[in-house]
């Protein structure tokens, strides 16, 4: 695998005394970096989606704790504020719990910096492993559809679902990629297409509403998505629209793959029913690129994640291995305590 060709973006960069984040709200128009000088600014960047994607927000939060420790801030407060930044992606809570464990064990600021770095490094290694495992499931000359952005921007690098796609392209298994635009934040249109075009991967953008029609055409053999939280029975929360993709895939005989590191698995949550779905400001739906597109007085409902039930998932790929047709028993066997 030629990682130099397919893995060049690092959106979360520790600078020793601050955290540098590639502002994902402005891509692809502007490549603008934000320098976060304290944990409060990192919390705000997570809330505002300047940094986004389940693994990336966990990594950024870990750096927030390390930074706060260096600055002598009260760590309990910092942990609480960071934890409340976004509710659905469990990687955030996972990373903070891991940092807290080190704090409770008496770690100093230098040790917390090492822990945050370990979280970031392990995520990159997990993505590369998942790339190999997931791509091995795909037959040569396949077409795939992906949703949201799960690439280097959303992780420590390489990506989860996009990592499998990168590996699949490199191995000659994937010929062509379709990316759904992912309303309302357009992570697919703005971010995934940016990554795919930079890599020279054959790809086309589709409107979210074109997905079932695409599947009917026979052009895709797999839908490949990431995850924000995988419950103990395999139910998977991911970007809004994932559930309808899973339903349409089942109807058309298209396979459905979820790719996520084990830090996204939440064995303390029994099923998707228990996952909190983030509701964001309805204003995000009422305007496009800052310009109001819907009549004044109109209201909107803006859930930004949904849950694909385990029975619609053909494979969950993590760095620990692949679970085909996941259920409570197979999840417990791989992730049980
Ligand atoms: O709201 P976002 O952009 O943070 O949502 C991101 C997603 O839903 C991704 O698909 C998920 O976090 C997996 S990223 C590797």
């Amino acid at each position: 695998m030629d990682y130099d060709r397919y893995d060049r973006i690092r959106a979360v960069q520790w600078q020793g005394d601050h955290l540098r984040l590639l502002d994902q709200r402005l891509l692809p128009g502007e490549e603008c970096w934000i320098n976060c000088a304290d944990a409060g600014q990192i919390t705000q960047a997570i809330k505002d989606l300047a940094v986004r994607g389940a693994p990336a927000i966990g990594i950024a939060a870990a750096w927030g704790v390390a930074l706060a420790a260096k600055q002598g801030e009260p760590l309990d407060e910092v942990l609480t504020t960071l934890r409340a930044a976004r509710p659905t992606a469990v990687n955030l809570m996972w990373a903070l719990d891991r940092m807290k464990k080190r704090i409770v064990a008496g770690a100093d600021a230098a040790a917390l910096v090492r822990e945050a770095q370990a979280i970031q490094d392990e995520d990159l290694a997990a993505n590369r492993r998942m790339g190999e495992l997931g791509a091995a499931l795909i037959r040569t000359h396949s077409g795939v559809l992906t949703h949201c952005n799960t690439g280097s921007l959303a992780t420590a690098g390489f990506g989860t679902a996009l990592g499998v796609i990168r590996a699949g392209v490199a191995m000659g298994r994937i010929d062509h990629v379709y990316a759904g635009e992912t309303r309302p934040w357009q992570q697919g249109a703005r971010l995934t297409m940016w990554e795919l075009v930079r890599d020279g991967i054959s790809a086309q953008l589709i409107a979210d509403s074109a997905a079932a029609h695409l599947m009917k055409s026979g052009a895709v053999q797999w839908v490949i998505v990431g995850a924000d939280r995988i419950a103990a029975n395999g139910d998977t929360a991911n970007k809004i629209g994932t559930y309808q993709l899973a339903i349409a895939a089942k109807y058309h005989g298209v396979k459905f793959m979820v790719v996520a590191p084990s830090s996204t698995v939440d064995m303390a949550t029994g099923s998707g029913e228990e996952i909190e779905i983030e509701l964001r400001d309805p204003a995000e739906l009422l305007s496009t690129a800052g310009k109001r597109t819907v009549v004044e007085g109109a209201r909107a409902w803006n859930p930004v994640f949904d849950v694909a039930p385990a029975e619609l998932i053909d494979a969950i790929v993590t760095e620990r291995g692949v679970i085909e047709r996941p259920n409570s028993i197979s999840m417990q066997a791989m992730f049980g305590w």
Side-chain angles (χ1 to χ4, degrees), residues 128-157:
R128 290 180 171 181
R129 178 74 185 130
M130 293 188 297
E132 291 165 14
L133 292 172
L137 302 175
I138 300 168
R139 290 213 181 136
T140 50
H141 301 305
S142 289
V144 300
L145 169 63
T146 190
H147 190 56
C148 196
N149 173 265
T150 61
S152 304
L153 293 169
T155 63

Side-chain angles (χ1 to χ4, degrees), residues 96-319:
L96 292 171
D97 286 345
R98 190 163 147 176
M99 296 301 283
K100 187 170 182 180
K101 220 173 182 178
R102 301 287 287 129
I103 294 166
V104 170
D108 61 8
L112 294 176
V113 166
R114 286 196 297 277
E115 190 69 10
Q117 189 63 56
I119 288 173
Q120 183 152 355
D121 294 346
E122 287 167 26
D123 188 62
L124 179 59
N127 291 338
R128 290 180 171 181
R129 178 74 185 130
M130 293 188 297
E132 291 165 14
L133 292 172
L137 302 175
I138 300 168
R139 290 213 181 136
T140 50
H141 301 305
S142 289
V144 300
L145 169 63
T146 190
H147 190 56
C148 196
N149 173 265
T150 61
S152 304
L153 293 169
T155 63
F158 198 56
T160 58
L162 207 56
V164 166
I165 290 171
R166 288 184 157 120
V169 169
M171 290 161 67
R173 290 172 184 264
I174 296 175
D175 285 351
H176 194 67
V177 182
Y178 295 88
E181 59 181 346
T182 320
R183 284 275 295 149
W185 272 81
Q186 309 267 26
Q187 289 95 329
R190 295 188 302 104
L191 308 176
T192 299
M193 288 305 289
W194 184 71
E195 293 201 37
L196 290 168
V197 168
R198 278 172 67 108
D199 283 6
I201 291 173
S202 170
Q204 279 171 298
L205 180 68
I206 61 163
D208 295 323
S209 43
H213 184 61
L214 173 73
M215 292 180 204
K216 188 176 161 196
S217 77
V220 293
Q221 284 66 52
W222 281 91
V223 175
I224 308 179
V225 297
D228 289 85
R229 192 184 290 241
I230 303 175
N233 68 347
D235 288 355
T236 295
N238 190 48
K239 180 52 55 190
I240 191 77
T242 300
Y243 177 34
Q244 63 197 24
L245 291 179
I247 293 169
K250 180 65 91 189
Y251 182 81
H252 292 100
V254 170
K255 300 256 191 174
F256 194 87
M257 186 191 303
V258 171
V259 188
S262 53
S263 52
T264 307
V265 174
D266 178 10
M267 292 300 283
T269 292
S271 78
E273 292 292 314
E274 297 166 37
I275 299 176
E276 183 182 347
I277 299 295
E278 181 180 5
L279 281 175
R280 289 185 70 89
D281 188 344
E284 293 178 350
L285 280 174
L286 299 171
S287 299
T288 304
K291 189 174 182 296
R292 178 93 187 189
T293 47
V294 184
V295 66
E296 289 298 335
R299 298 186 304 146
W301 180 55
N302 188 21
V304 299
F305 298 98
D306 59 25
V307 175
E311 64 258 33
L312 298 180
I313 298 171
D314 291 291
I316 293 180
V317 177
T318 76
E319 80 281 10

